[in-house]
Amino acid sequence: MAADADGLARAAALIGAGGLVALPTETVYGLGADATDPEAVAAIYAAKGRPRFNPLIAHVATVEAALGEGTFDEAALRLAEHFWPGPLTLVVPAASTGSVCDLARAGLDSVALRVPAHATARALLERVGRPVAAPSANRSGRVSPTSADHVLTDLDGRIAAVLDGGACPVGVESSVVACLGGPPRLLRPGGVTRAAIAAVLGFAPEAGGDPGSRPVGPGLLASHYAPRAGVRLDATGLEPGEAVLLFGAFRPAGLDRAAAVETLSARGDPAEAAARLFGALRRLDASGAPTIAVVPVPEEGLGEAINDRLRRAAAPR
Ligand code: TXA
Ligand code: MG
């Protein structure tokens, strides 16, 4: 559906009735449902094929609405005031007055909250008037979607609608920071850089594993964001038949015989690279090459989030 007044009204009605609607945000497309309705939330897990131990982010229209869903300590308040609306998710203790259902929180005492900046997401959240649970709108374990077409590739026939808001400007998911009493922990690097978070806090956030990517059994590593092709990192040369993902001016040996080539950012800009990452992975995957070789990407700025996603794409499955 077009992201116009009519599309927004229909999307809000569908979500209000317990349906699943994919929506654009500044990071990636989310698969939205009423976060207060356990049946609607169960339908998200089913459509994605997502394990139910992995909790969802509740999206709200305003900082005020977020404050009603969780208990914010000083650090959480500071981060919320500075980065919302925007690509930051805060995990805080769930408020006793909160409305996000147990299933969306995977039974935890905490709740993940985000006020997105994307105009369409905000307009939809205002119309729904309730928190909207929205994981990335891809089949579980697959590459996250940054266009309405990506959403349909994975979920056509499993969801009621997708609101088409064009390409997502940030391109990687939100940074997830837990403020649960102790020092704030960066659970997932994302659209807000570690340096920007540290500048607002006045100190660096602690490292913290992302519980959603924790191995659940022997052999099940942190594989996520995975294309069908294998992914080989830090490639300085290409094997015959490989597709290649380039960054900056670096040219791997054997580039002339690559099966397919995509460039994240010719000028070496991490923000441009993040915005192009998931689309480029999907296109290289579509080339049919058995392996995608990725040249080194520096860790600076959004490079941390890019490398995190690439490492998960390369993890054994
Ligand atoms: O940019 C984004 O964050 C996108 C857009 C749609 O907002 N959403 C997204 O959702 O990436 P998802 O479900 O793919 O990732 C949510 C992450 C997971 O790693 C999950 O484990 C973590 O947030 N999370 C959610 N609730 C949590 C909680 N209570 N404690 C710890 N981690 C939590
Ligand atoms: Mg996801």
Side-chain angles (χ1 to χ4, degrees):
M1 306 189 300
D4 55 13
D6 181 51
L8 285 166
R10 287 161 65 199
L14 285 166
I15 290 179
L20 301 183
V21 177
L23 64 140
T25 82
E26 69 275 27
T27 57
V28 301
Y29 276 72
L31 179 55
D34 181 350
T36 71
D37 175 351
E39 281 180 45
V41 171
I44 291 181
Y45 286 98
K48 275 185 66 99
R50 179 177 174 117
R52 289 193 179 200
F53 59 76
N54 193 359
L56 306 177
I57 298 169
H59 298 69
V60 290
T62 62
V63 176
E64 198 190 356
L67 296 181
E69 296 292 335
T71 307
F72 286 63
D73 63 15
E74 205 185 305
L77 274 180
R78 199 187 269 255
L79 292 171
E81 277 164 14
H82 200 277
F83 291 113
W84 281 348
L88 175 76
T89 293
L90 290 171
V91 174
V92 297
S96 53
T97 53
S99 63
V100 176
C101 71
D102 242 44
L103 185 57
R105 293 185 284 106
L108 299 172
D109 298 332
S110 56
V111 62
L113 297 164
R114 178 157 108 81
V115 181
H118 195 286
T120 301
R122 302 193 71 188
L124 179 62
L125 291 169
E126 270 163 28
R127 281 171 197 257
V128 172
R130 269 175 261 164
V132 169
S136 49
N138 51 283
R139 296 291 287 270
S140 187
R142 294 276 172 206
V143 176
S144 293
T146 52
S147 74
D149 276 352
H150 295 167
V151 174
L152 291 177
T153 301
D154 272 25
L155 295 173
D156 196 10
R158 296 177 158 249
I159 62 178
V162 52
L163 270 175
D164 190 347
C168 300
V170 176
V172 289
E173 295 87 344
S174 60
S175 303
V176 180
V177 176
C179 296
L180 294 169
R185 283 179 301 135
L186 181 60
L187 301 184
R188 178 178 75 180
V192 176
T193 65
R194 182 187 292 273
I197 292 167
V200 166
L201 287 173
F203 55 89
E206 310 253 312
D210 174 351
S213 63
R214 196 168 45 195
V216 293
L220 265 182
L221 288 171
S223 172
H224 220 77
Y225 307 98
R228 273 166 236 281
V231 175
R232 191 165 69 79
L233 302 182
D234 293 321
T236 53
L238 298 187
E239 304 295 329
E242 283 186 330
V244 64
L245 189 55
L246 297 175
F247 178 90
F250 182 81
R251 294 290 171 270
L255 178 59
D256 51 327
R257 55 166 191 257
V261 182
E262 285 285 336
T263 302
L264 288 177
S265 171
R267 61 175 192 268
D269 173 6
E272 181 182 45
R276 296 179 50 86
L277 176 66
F278 291 135
L281 281 175
R282 282 176 182 258
R283 286 189 297 275
L284 291 179
D285 211 15
S287 78
T291 307
I292 299 170
V294 186
V295 306
V297 177
E299 277 284 313
E300 80 204 44
L302 287 180
E304 183 182 4
I306 293 170
N307 281 317
D308 171 79
R309 306 306 187 266
L310 287 171
R311 275 191 294 271
R312 295 191 208 205
R317 321 168 193 152

